[in-house]
């Protein structure tokens, strides 16, 4: 439901998971008795994936981020940027992401 996060945030299209990929991983892990635990790296390291929000009319949902190198001036690990808890749209986007993730890991 928030494809721009992946479009803007993944290092490449090959470095993200489709819904089908998640379903296959979940089925594989269930079959082999392995618990599959998703990770969503928030609120930090969010600069790259949320750069589209201002243009979409949602305001800036990321603070402490600059599109410049070296990133080491802004964060311990790339990318810099933290989600802005004062922007209500931050919570709407996260709710959509968490709902999508929860539906893929419902077993």
């Amino acid at each position: 439901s928030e494809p721009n996060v992946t479009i803007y945030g993944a290092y490449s299209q090959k470095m993200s998971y489709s819904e089908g990929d998640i379903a296959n991983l979940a089925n594989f892990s269930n079959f082999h008795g392995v618990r599959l635990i998703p990770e969503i790296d928030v609120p930090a390291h969010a600069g790259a994936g949320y750069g589209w929000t201002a243009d979409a009319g949602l305001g800036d949902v990321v603070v402490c981020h600059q599109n410049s190198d070296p990133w080491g001036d802004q964060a311990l690990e790339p990318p810099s940027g933290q989600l802005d808890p004062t922007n209500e749209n931050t919570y709407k986007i996260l709710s959509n992401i968490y709902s999508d993730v929860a539906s893929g890991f419902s077993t």
Side-chain angles (χ1 to χ4, degrees):
S1 62
E2 297 293 345
N4 283 337
V5 173
T6 302
I7 292 168
Y8 282 75
Y11 289 110
S12 78
Q13 287 184 330
K14 294 180 181 180
M15 299 180 120
S16 63
Y17 295 99
S18 69
E19 289 180 35
D21 293 335
I22 298 298
N24 288 337
L25 285 169
N27 289 333
F28 182 86
S29 66
N30 286 338
F31 181 78
H32 293 283
V34 175
R35 180 173 290 167
L36 187 61
I37 302 172
E39 176 189 1
I40 301 172
D41 200 3
V42 295
H45 309 293
Y50 299 85
W52 55 274
T53 59
D55 291 339
L58 302 174
D60 291 320
V61 300
V62 174
V63 295
C64 303
H65 173 67
Q66 295 175 339
N67 288 325
S68 64
D69 280 326
W71 56 262
D73 293 341
Q74 302 152 20
L76 295 175
E77 295 178 354
S80 63
Q82 291 79 40
L83 292 178
D84 183 358
T86 66
N87 183 333
E88 291 183 22
N89 291 310
T90 300
Y91 301 101
K92 293 174 185 175
I93 293 168
L94 287 177
S95 177
N96 291 338
I97 292 170
Y98 289 139
S99 293
D100 289 347
V101 170
S103 69
F105 292 86
S106 60
T107 56

